[in-house]
Amino acid sequence: MKIAIVGTHYATKSLAPYKHADWHIWACSPRNMGELPRHDAWFELHQPQLLANRPEYQAWCYTQPRIYLPEALPEAPGSVTYPREEMVAEFGPYFFTSSLSWMLAIAISMKPETMGIYGVETSTAEEYAYQRPSHHHFIQVARDRGIEVIAAPSSSILRPPKFYGFELYPPNGSNEIPGY
């Protein structure tokens, strides 16, 4: 089995293997609603109150053939309760900081041969600094379990952070080391 996880970053979300039937395409986010050529599962792991604030997105979500929600709902026939407790028991409580983290965890638990990550950069410090380490954690867990993890060649998601102490900060070419 191969699973492609698709986020919303414009530079690489279009590069997911949509035309390859052997890939399961998983996606999330209102920003992807109606934008992708196909998806096999949708993830909306925010609380239902958030969906209620976006009625068009909520209605669309509830029509999806397979959608992971915090809890399955009768008004969403394709809904599946996300196995939160099982994922926390398997992977620990420290790295679930985004929808992508939850998606990576359940993908790993399904033991695919390959996982692809598209439309995910999490490279801006303001919004994603706390999420990127969790993504790297799950990428490493997947690799440790023998799962191949790939991304678009232009993506930075598989690039590790600088090695503390061994590489200069900030990466602006300055020879001045902060705090010295």
Side-chain angles (χ1 to χ4, degrees), residues 95-111:
F95 294 100
F96 291 103
T97 60
S98 69
S99 294
L100 183 73
S101 300
W102 293 106
M103 293 166 76
L104 288 167
I106 196 168
I108 293 166
S109 74
M110 293 180 175
K111 302 176 181 157

Side-chain angles (χ1 to χ4, degrees), residues 2-97:
K2 298 176 182 179
I3 299 171
I5 296 173
V6 182
T8 60
H9 195 276
Y10 66 92
T12 60
K13 77 178 184 178
S14 65
L15 302 175
Y18 300 109
K19 294 180 181 179
H20 299 274
D22 59 331
W23 280 87
H24 297 265
I25 308 293
W26 292 1
C28 64
S29 181
R31 290 185 13 213
N32 274 340
M33 178 179 71
E35 294 288 318
L36 306 178
R38 76 173 175 94
H39 61 275
D40 302 297
W42 197 265
F43 288 75
E44 183 45 71
L45 301 174
H46 297 93
Q47 291 301 308
Q49 303 88 292
L50 183 68
L51 285 179
N53 292 334
R54 296 180 161 180
E56 182 180 309
Y57 178 60
Q58 180 182 36
W60 182 87
C61 281
Y62 290 178
T63 66
Q64 297 310 297
R66 184 159 188 89
I67 181 167
Y68 286 88
L69 297 171
E71 188 172 320
L73 300 171
E75 60 269 31
S79 66
V80 177
T81 299
Y82 184 90
R84 177 181 173 218
E85 291 78 22
E86 291 90 339
M87 295 301 104
V88 172
E90 183 171 348
F91 298 104
Y94 300 108
F95 294 100
F96 291 103
T97 60

Side-chain angles (χ1 to χ4, degrees), residues 125-136:
E126 302 83 33
E127 188 175 359
Y128 298 116
Y130 70 97
Q131 293 180 358
R132 191 172 178 90
S134 72
H135 302 160
H136 285 164

